[in-house]
């Protein structure tokens, strides 16, 4: 076992867990069988780490001399990291984070609070992910991607970053607040998805998508405003924050009331 560890008395560490140097494990953390917690990892209180996870995985600079360098990993409180997930060093992850099984998160990923990343998703690092972002299974997020708060990304979506592969001239995708990226979509390098936009299933997005615009097809083309979409009973669906609140900060009170409360608190 490593040196300079701070492990809370209330933490539960199961069998065959390796813990490296300079590791902090806060109160009520549960680490299941066979995990590897490498050097310089800080796990926030109440977090669950499923079996056979690797936290603080080595970066490329390890392999030259087989020496782990100072690449800290911060994981926020009350997170759920399911089995066989691998998170590299030099990442910062906020509170109430959640993964499915076998998620990979590479170095230099900055992830906000209340983020959910589904099973077998691949976050390629050097990217920014905001708060309350939901990704379903088998999502690929390329380097230099920037995903703002309250974005939904559904299964098998791919964010690309190389305009002339293979090259060193990478251009990440940017997705603004409240946008929805539907199943099987591919977003080409440098594309900007603006606030409240909706990308339909299977779309190949080659150009920027304006605010509140619906696009679908190959290549994706505009097909009106999100405000034109209604349920079978005639209720407006989008912007979705007015019709959906599960696990959102405005749950039970509505978006407008929550926004007003948040603004009032900032003014105090």
């Amino acid at each position: 076992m490593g040196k300079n560890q701070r492990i809370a008395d209330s933490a539960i560490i199961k069998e065959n867990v390796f813990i490296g140097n300079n590791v902090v494990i806060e109160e009520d953390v549960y680490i299941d069988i066979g995990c590897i917690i490498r050097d310089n990892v800080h796990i926030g209180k109440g977090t669950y780490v499923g079996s056979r996870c690797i936290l603080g995985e080595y970066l490329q600079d390890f392999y030259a001399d087989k020496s782990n360098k100072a690449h800290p990993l911060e994981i926020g409180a009350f997170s759920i990291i399911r089995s066989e997930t691998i998170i590299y060093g030099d990442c910062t992850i906020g509170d109430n984070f959640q993964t499915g099984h076998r998620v990979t998160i590479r170095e230099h990923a900055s992830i906000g609070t209340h983020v959910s990343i589904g099973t077998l998703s691949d976050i390629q690092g050097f990217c920014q992910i905001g708060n309350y972002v939901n990704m379903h299974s088998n999502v690929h997020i390329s380097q230099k991607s920037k995903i703002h708060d309250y974005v939904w990304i559904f299964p098998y979506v791919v964010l690309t970053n190389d305009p002339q592969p293979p090259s060193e001239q990478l251009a990440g995708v940017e997705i603004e607040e409240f946008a929805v990226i539907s199943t099987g979509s591919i977003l080409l390098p440098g594309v900007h998805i603006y606030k409240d936009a909706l990308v339909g299933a299977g779309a190949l997005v080659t150009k920027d998508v304006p605010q509140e615009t619906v696009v679908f097809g190959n290549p994706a083309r505009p097909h009106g405003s999100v405000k034109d979409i209604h349920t079978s009973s005639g209720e407006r669906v989008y912007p979705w924050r007015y019709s959906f609140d599960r696990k959102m900060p405005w749950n039970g009170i509505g978006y407008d009331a929550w926004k007003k409360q948040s603004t009032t608190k900032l003014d105090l």
Side-chain angles (χ1 to χ4, degrees):
M1 302 299 276
K3 302 175 182 178
N4 301 320
Q5 299 172 349
R6 289 198 292 123
I7 302 175
D9 291 340
S10 58
I12 297 174
I13 313 294
K14 301 299 285 186
E15 296 83 7
N16 300 317
V17 171
F18 171 82
I19 301 175
N21 300 324
N22 305 312
V23 170
V24 177
I25 299 175
E26 295 187 4
E27 295 82 2
D28 302 318
V29 168
Y30 185 106
I31 300 180
D32 212 340
I33 296 168
C35 290
I36 299 174
I37 314 298
R38 300 206 189 278
D39 300 347
N40 307 302
V41 174
H42 188 144
I43 303 174
K45 66 180 179 180
T47 290
Y48 167 84
V49 182
S51 59
R52 299 181 301 281
C53 288
I54 303 176
L55 303 183
E57 178 62 305
Y58 301 135
L59 275 59
Q60 189 64 34
D61 60 6
F62 168 83
Y63 298 100
D65 59 3
K66 307 302 187 291
S67 173
N68 196 12
K69 314 306 186 292
H71 298 297
L73 168 61
E74 296 274 344
I75 298 173
F78 306 111
S79 296
I80 300 173
I81 301 171
R82 291 186 171 86
S83 62
E84 299 186 351
T85 288
I86 301 175
I87 306 177
Y88 283 62
D90 278 345
C91 291
T92 303
I93 300 173
D95 295 346
N96 297 287
F97 174 65
Q98 186 168 169
T99 77
H101 304 278
R102 298 184 179 181
V103 169
T104 302
I105 301 174
R106 292 295 301 265
E107 63 269 23
H108 298 289
S110 175
I111 300 176
T113 66
H114 298 271
V115 171
S116 178
I117 300 177
T119 293
L120 292 173
S121 289
D122 179 23
I123 313 301
Q124 275 292 297
F126 293 91
C127 63
Q128 299 176 47
I129 299 172
N131 304 314
Y132 289 92
V133 172
N134 284 273
M135 302 181 198
H136 287 243
S137 61
N138 293 278
V139 168
H140 176 87
I141 305 297
S142 64
Q143 291 186 15
K144 296 198 172 183
S145 298
K146 185 175 182 180
I147 302 171
H148 294 237
D149 300 344
Y150 307 111
V151 167
W152 288 85
I153 301 178
F154 286 88
Y156 299 101
V157 167
V158 177
L159 274 57
T160 65
N161 65 0
D162 193 344
Q164 294 89 31
S167 77
E168 300 294 341
Q169 305 301 316
L170 303 183
V173 169
E174 182 168 358
I175 306 175
E176 291 191 5
E177 292 88 346
F178 302 106
V180 178
I181 314 299
S182 300
T183 299
S185 299
I186 300 173
L187 279 57
L188 292 192
V191 162
H192 192 131
I193 311 297
Y194 284 85
K195 182 178 178 181
D196 284 311
L198 171 61
V199 176
L204 177 63
V205 183
T206 62
K207 299 178 180 179
D208 294 352
V209 179
Q211 183 170 332
E212 296 184 346
T213 300
V214 181
V215 300
F216 55 84
N218 182 358
R221 292 187 173 89
H223 292 273
S225 169
V226 296
K227 292 182 177 179
D228 297 331
I229 300 174
H230 296 80
T231 67
S232 58
S233 58
E235 298 172 339
R236 181 179 287 178
V237 179
Y238 298 100
W240 63 263
R241 58 188 171 278
Y242 297 106
S243 59
F244 183 92
D245 64 4
R246 178 164 50 85
K247 295 185 179 180
M248 294 296 152
W250 56 88
N251 183 264
I253 62 172
Y255 177 78
D256 285 338
W258 170 79
K259 190 69 174 178
K260 185 177 180 180
Q261 287 181 4
S262 300
T263 303
T264 301
K265 289 178 181 177
L266 289 174
D267 291 340
L268 293 177

